[in-house]
């Protein structure tokens, strides 16, 4: 039996999942799960990357205890965040998270060099205040000594791959989210990097999903009790999740539903037009040089935050079921920056309703109902925009990831979009991670056969419009 180990780390939790094929189906087994989150450290919201790596080691040891030794291991995480290493490959400073406020005003510093519209026409990447391009400007402006000392920049999953293998590379799908990549050459935009005053030597060679970095370092292999290959998946978790869309057709409309809702389609060429910029779409790198043409929508972050504040002991299924029984019809703009990192999500939702003259929700169920209805309306608007920009009419929306479990939201989405909804698989990111490893090993021929395998391996719920 050949096993493949996916390390899938999200903004609130991480897991190590073993995958193998049996009678043509992909079988998953979770071996380790752990919490994650940003913590205030030295005045900034940061990730504890040392603890994340310790959890990876713990999960690998559990594989050995089970007697299930993977052929390879690959790591995916969220996008845009990074670490800086010095000449001795030691980390400089903290791994600051994307919700930290250090990027306030940094967009204007970038626009002094290149205007916002020209930047989009050049990179095709949606403006988010936390994109790597702005985070690097914060380092340059606020801690110039760190920029001077730095020799290497690695995105979070690239850093974890470095700790496993000793190899320093930058994977393509995550590199594209930096807003420093040329969508035509699929390489770093060196002229832009020079103009912004970022050191060229920071940026490592870009590799594609499926790249084999070699074996574990001797020290790691000895610690976990086995050796295996380190194979780079689509390290951006959305890039991995989109690989798991269980569709035979390349022209699909999807929502990767987790902390964020990433809604879009796959295109062969980046759409870097002024109209695309007005709609705030992004052209992120995908598997096999596809582009994930999508929009970032606030997603389950809003529900997670409201639950934490109002009903931390209530299950998400109970919240969903209770919300479905509410009559409140208030709608808020789910893409508003006020919901990015509020002190209280509940108060922000209530304030938004009050300011627009709508009924103000009370309690977890009414608050959840407002959020679910708002997300469904946002999905409908985004679907319309995708169809306008691509010239393609989509009959079905594929919802993948943890949010595919939200039955009420799935029904609202089908109704609002007037399209069939296919929900699942839930563990899409880990499945996509494992698929990339299996393709690299020759166990799956290509992305098409991987998606066919996924379709026949996992339950997909269907909702009619």
């Amino acid at each position: 039996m050949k096993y493949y180990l996916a390390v899938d780390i999200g903004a609130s939790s991480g897991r190590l999942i073993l995958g193998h094929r049996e009678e043509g189906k992909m079988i998953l087994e979770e071996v380790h799960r752990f919490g994650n989150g940003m913590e205030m450290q030295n005045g900034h919201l940061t990730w504890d990357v040392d603890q994340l790596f310790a959890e990876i080691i713990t999960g690998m040891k559990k594989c050995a205890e089970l007697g299930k030794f993977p052929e390879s291991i690959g790591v995916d995480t969220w996008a845009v965040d990074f670490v800086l290493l010095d000449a001795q490959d030691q980390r400089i400073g903290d791994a600051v998270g994307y919700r930290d406020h250090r990027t306030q005003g940094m967009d204007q510093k970038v626009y002094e060099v290149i205007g916002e519209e020209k930047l989009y026409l050049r990179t095709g990447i949606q403006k988010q205040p936390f994109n790597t391009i702005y985070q690097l400007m914060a380092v340059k402006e606020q801690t110039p000594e760190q920029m001077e000392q730095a020799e290497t920049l690695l995105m979070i999953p690239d850093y974890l791959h470095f700790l496993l293998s000793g190899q320093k590379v930058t994977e393509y799908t995550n590199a594209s989210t930096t807003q420093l990549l040329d969508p035509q050459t699929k390489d770093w935009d060196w002229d832009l990097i020079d103009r912004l005053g970022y050191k060229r030597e920071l940026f490592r060679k870009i590799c594609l999903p499926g790249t084999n970095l070699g074996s574990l370092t001797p020290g790691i292999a000895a610690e976990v009790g086995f050796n295996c290959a380190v194979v780079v998946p689509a390290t951006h978790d959305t890039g991995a999740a989109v690989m798991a869309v269980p569709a035979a057709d390349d022209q699909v409309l999807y929502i990767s539903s987790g902390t964020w809702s990433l809604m879009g389609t796959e295109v062969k060429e980046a759409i870097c037009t002024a109209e695309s910029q007005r709609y705030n779409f992004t052209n992120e790198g995908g598997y096999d040089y596809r582009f994930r043409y999508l929009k970032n929508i606030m997603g389950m972050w809003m529900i997670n935050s409201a639950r934490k504040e109002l009903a931390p002991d209530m299950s998400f299924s109970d919240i969903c079921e209770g919300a479905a029984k509410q009559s409140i019809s208030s709608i808020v703009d789910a893409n508003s920056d006020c919901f990015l990192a509020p002190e209280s999500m509940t108060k922000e939702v209530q304030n938004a309703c009050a300011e627009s003259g709508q009924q103000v929700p009370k309690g977890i169920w009414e608050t959840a109902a407002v959020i679910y209805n708002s997300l469904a309306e946002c999905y409908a608007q985004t679907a319309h925009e995708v169809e306008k920009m691509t010239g393609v009419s989509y009959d079905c929306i594929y919802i993948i990831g943890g949010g595919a479990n939200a039955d009420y939201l799935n029904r609202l989405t089908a109704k609002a979009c007037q399209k069939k909804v296919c929900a699942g698989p839930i563990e899409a990111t880990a499945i996509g991670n494992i698929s990339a490893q299996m393709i690299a090993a020759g166990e799956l021929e290509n992305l098409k056969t991987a998606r066919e395998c996924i379709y026949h391996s996992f339950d997909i719920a269907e909702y009619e419009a």
Side-chain angles (χ1 to χ4, degrees):
M1 191 77 70
K2 291 185 177 180
Y3 293 97
Y4 304 86
L5 184 59
V7 180
D8 173 27
I9 307 178
S12 58
S13 66
R15 63 224 60 117
L16 278 76
I17 295 181
L18 279 170
H20 71 276
R21 291 187 74 195
E22 193 173 309
E23 297 181 352
K25 292 187 176 183
M26 188 183 297
I27 309 297
L28 303 183
E29 178 183 358
E30 184 179 297
V31 294
H32 184 52
R33 182 176 285 264
F34 53 92
N36 187 31
M38 299 180 206
E39 301 285 345
M40 188 60 69
Q41 175 110 3
N42 300 319
H44 294 284
L45 286 171
T46 66
W47 303 105
D48 190 344
V49 288
D50 292 328
Q51 182 59 36
L52 292 179
F53 188 67
E55 297 288 1
I56 293 173
I57 297 301
T58 297
M60 294 174 74
K61 289 179 177 178
K62 288 183 178 180
C63 291
E65 292 169 2
L66 292 169
K68 297 178 179 179
F69 303 103
E71 300 286 311
S72 61
I73 181 173
V75 182
D76 67 74
T77 75
W78 61 96
V80 306
D81 289 341
F82 58 89
V83 299
L84 297 173
L85 305 181
D86 64 17
Q88 288 73 46
D89 291 333
Q90 297 301 304
R91 201 169 65 245
I92 300 169
D94 299 313
V96 179
Y98 61 85
R99 294 190 192 276
D100 186 73
H101 294 299
R102 69 173 175 171
T103 54
Q104 287 183 349
M106 292 302 106
D107 54 347
Q108 296 307 312
K109 290 289 184 180
V110 169
Y111 302 151
E112 290 173 9
V113 176
I114 179 170
E116 182 176 355
E117 184 173 341
K118 288 184 177 179
L119 181 61
Y120 184 87
L121 296 177
R122 186 166 184 149
T123 66
I125 295 299
Q126 171 190 23
K127 182 191 174 179
Q128 296 281 7
F130 46 70
N131 285 351
T132 313
I133 190 173
Y134 308 118
Q135 292 199 47
L136 273 174
M137 186 59 72
V139 175
K140 180 185 172 187
E141 293 290 317
Q142 299 165 14
T143 54
E145 70 282 358
Q146 291 188 5
M147 183 68 82
E148 180 63 29
Q149 188 183 2
E151 295 284 337
T152 301
L153 178 149
L154 292 176
M155 308 302 282
I156 297 298
D158 298 322
Y159 178 60
L160 297 173
H161 284 138
F162 165 64
L163 295 179
L164 289 168
S165 69
Q167 302 299 311
K168 293 183 286 186
V169 298
T170 302
E171 187 273 324
Y172 169 67
T173 66
N174 221 322
S176 72
T177 71
T178 64
Q179 211 168 359
L180 292 166
L181 204 70
D182 185 327
Q184 303 303 318
T185 66
K186 317 293 195 300
D187 197 1
W188 297 115
D189 187 331
W190 295 113
D191 177 64
L192 178 60
I193 287 168
D194 290 342
R195 290 170 62 183
L196 291 167
Y198 304 155
K199 298 192 299 184
R200 281 193 175 209
E201 57 264 34
L202 291 177
F203 301 92
R204 295 289 143 172
K205 178 182 177 181
I206 293 175
C207 71
L208 291 176
T211 299
N212 190 324
L213 299 182
S215 300
L216 299 172
T217 66
I220 296 298
E223 184 175 359
V224 301
F226 62 88
N227 207 342
C228 69
V230 179
V231 173
V232 177
T235 62
H236 183 192
D237 49 12
T238 309
V242 170
M243 288 185 68
V245 172
D249 191 344
D250 276 348
Q251 293 184 326
V252 297
L253 187 61
Y254 60 78
I255 301 172
S256 179
S257 181
T259 301
W260 293 88
S261 288
L262 296 310
M263 185 174 187
T265 189
E266 290 182 306
V267 294
K268 298 289 179 65
E269 301 291 337
I271 304 175
C272 305
T273 65
E275 186 176 19
S276 180
Q277 182 185 21
R278 284 195 296 273
Y279 285 136
N280 209 21
F281 278 98
T282 197
N283 295 269
E284 295 177 350
Y287 185 81
D288 195 25
Y289 283 135
R290 296 160 183 253
F291 286 96
R292 290 175 287 117
Y293 186 64
L294 57 83
K295 180 178 287 190
N296 283 32
I297 300 167
M298 209 62 73
M300 294 299 108
W301 160 251
M302 297 179 72
I303 287 290
N304 292 348
S305 299
R307 172 181 177 267
K308 186 176 181 179
E309 294 166 7
L310 297 175
D313 296 326
M314 189 177 293
S315 70
F316 287 109
S317 60
D318 286 343
I319 291 173
C320 206
E321 184 177 345
K325 298 175 181 177
Q326 307 307 305
S327 60
I328 188 169
S329 60
S330 303
I331 299 290
V332 299
D333 178 7
N335 280 335
S336 172
D337 286 345
C338 70
F339 301 123
L340 181 61
E343 290 186 10
S344 170
M345 183 66 71
T346 305
K347 289 182 179 178
E348 287 294 343
V349 172
Q350 291 173 334
N351 290 341
C353 290
E355 290 171 4
S356 58
Q358 300 180 89
Q359 181 181 344
V360 175
K362 298 178 181 178
I364 183 60
W365 286 335
E366 283 195 350
T367 302
V370 170
I371 293 172
Y372 284 136
N373 277 286
S374 301
L375 287 173
E377 288 300 316
C378 190
Y379 295 161
Q381 180 62 36
T382 302
H384 172 74
E385 293 166 355
V386 172
E387 291 182 330
K388 181 179 179 181
M389 293 306 303
T390 62
V392 177
S393 180
Y394 305 92
D395 297 325
C396 180
I397 299 175
Y398 292 85
I399 301 181
I400 53 177
N405 262 340
D407 176 77
Y408 180 50
L409 179 56
N410 294 339
R411 287 189 275 122
L412 288 174
T413 300
K415 180 179 179 181
C417 298
Q418 283 300 290
K419 299 180 188 296
K420 179 180 176 180
V421 165
C422 292
I426 295 166
E427 292 287 1
T429 304
I431 292 167
N433 183 325
I434 290 167
S435 295
Q437 295 184 56
M438 286 184 171
I439 294 171
E443 190 157 349
L444 290 171
E445 182 180 355
N446 51 35
L447 180 58
K448 182 179 179 182
T449 56
R451 285 174 166 169
E452 288 173 352
C453 176
I454 291 164
Y455 176 79
H456 293 292
S457 300
F458 302 99
D459 292 333
I460 311 296
E462 296 185 359
Y463 301 81
E464 295 299 329

